[in-house]
Amino acid sequence: MEYTELPHRHGNDRDLSRLEHCMQEAESFQAVAGLCRLLSDANRVRIFWLLCHCEECVVNLAALVGMSSPAASHHLRQLKDSGLVVSRRIGKEVYYRAADTEVAGLLHQVIERTVEVTCPREEAMPHAPHLPPVDAHAGEHAAGLTPQQREIIHQVHQLLTENLDSRITIEQLSRRFLMNPSTMKELFKAEYGSSIAAHIRQHRMEKASALLLESGDSLAQVARAVGYESQSKFSAEYKKVFGMLPSEFRKLHAGH
């Protein structure tokens, strides 16, 4: 095969040629990139880590991770399609666990080494550990925030989550809390682990799921209650997050 003629020579041509040969296997690197994209969502990583230690149903997994069943199902479907998770059906219930593959095992080790989590011994853990809701992790990655900055960001979070039916802009928040928009975005992400838009979108969808289950409101009413004037935009966003339309979610859980 032909090798790239490098602009500069530093006496390591043989090593670089060998590395270039390895890089010709583009499909292998594409597979790695696919796994990295798959694990780019913190909740999906938490679900995978949990399933490395136990076998559980969707409802219990959703409760452990602090999200709705549709959201958990969406993550499980992606993990299963990737081969990282397997499932088995017992009666009407489907149970999930991490696949017994080398890739799944390596990813489990990477996750635990990265976040410095100690694997519980099986004999010491008859049940899965409780994992708190996403908001409970606020502040874990924000060691650089001053107490005053953290208090302001918590007030921003409270204002937004208590007014999910309103569209409050970053400019309005900036004026109200006397903080530069860029600084506010940076501090919010440091405190809550995601952007303001992504974090509040998750809250909107979780509230929408609760309304779909617990109220008789129409889809248009539910959409407005979580800040969407357009029912079609709300439905599209809901499907993007949970993998199903809000009408499908309501029908799936009707009578439960």
Side-chain angles (χ1 to χ4, degrees):
M1 62 175 292
E2 294 185 2
Y3 293 100
T4 303
E5 185 64 31
L6 300 175
H8 296 168
R9 293 185 178 277
H10 304 294
N12 59 345
D13 292 7
R14 182 178 298 177
D15 291 338
L16 290 177
S17 295
R18 186 170 63 254
L19 292 173
E20 184 180 7
H21 174 71
C22 293
M23 287 195 302
Q24 302 306 314
E25 301 295 331
E27 291 185 359
S28 298
F29 286 93
Q30 188 61 43
V32 175
L35 286 175
C36 289
R37 285 195 298 271
L38 184 70
L39 298 178
S40 64
D41 185 286
N43 284 326
R44 198 174 302 134
V45 174
R46 294 167 73 207
I47 290 174
F48 174 70
W49 178 85
L50 182 57
L51 292 177
C52 288
H53 295 281
C54 69
E55 183 180 54
E56 264 302 346
C57 65
V58 175
V59 174
N60 284 352
L61 286 170
L64 286 166
V65 186
M67 61 172 55
S68 65
S69 294
S73 296
H74 173 68
H75 291 309
L76 286 167
R77 182 162 53 250
Q78 292 182 301
L79 288 168
K80 186 176 180 181
D81 289 345
S82 71
L84 293 177
V85 163
V86 295
S87 65
R88 66 189 180 110
R89 180 181 292 275
I90 301 179
K92 295 183 178 181
E93 198 76 79
V94 178
Y95 294 86
Y96 295 85
R97 63 175 175 81
D100 295 323
T101 65
E102 186 175 2
V103 171
L106 287 173
L107 284 175
H108 178 209
Q109 293 180 38
V110 168
I111 293 169
E112 298 216 329
R113 289 293 183 88
T114 302
V115 299
E116 297 181 350
V117 175
T118 301
C119 282
R121 298 192 306 274
E122 290 186 5
E123 62 270 22
M125 194 190 78
H127 302 291
H130 175 71
L131 299 179
V134 177
D135 285 349
H137 292 278
E140 288 186 356
H141 308 290
L145 271 68
T146 66
Q148 293 80 6
Q149 289 174 328
R150 182 164 292 160
E151 176 59 27
I152 291 174
I153 294 304
H154 287 181
Q155 291 178 23
V156 169
H157 182 271
Q158 183 177 355
L159 176 66
L160 292 172
T161 54
E162 290 180 353
N163 295 276
L164 294 175
D165 58 334
S166 302
R167 290 287 176 170
I168 304 173
T169 67
I170 187 67
E171 289 75 17
Q172 291 172 319
L173 292 171
S174 175
R175 290 193 297 269
R176 176 160 182 166
F177 293 99
L178 302 178
M179 181 179 287
N180 179 277
S182 297
T183 301
M184 181 177 291
K185 291 178 181 179
E186 180 181 345
L187 296 181
F188 190 98
K189 188 170 185 179
E191 181 73 359
Y192 289 99
S194 61
S195 68
I196 295 177
H199 189 82
I200 299 306
R201 184 186 304 117
Q202 186 66 33
H203 275 281
R204 292 183 195 279
M205 295 299 105
E206 294 290 348
K207 180 178 179 180
S209 294
L211 290 173
L212 289 168
L213 287 176
E214 300 166 5
S215 77
D217 293 349
S218 66
L219 293 184
Q221 289 173 314
V222 172
R224 288 194 294 272
V226 293
Y228 290 86
E229 289 300 324
S230 168
Q231 180 182 325
S232 60
K233 288 184 179 180
F234 162 66
S235 296
E237 191 65 33
Y238 192 93
K239 185 173 183 178
K240 187 187 301 182
V241 174
F242 294 141
M244 66 177 69
L245 293 170
S247 56
E248 295 173 332
F249 170 70
R250 174 172 270 175
K251 183 177 181 181
L252 179 66
H253 292 272
H256 289 199

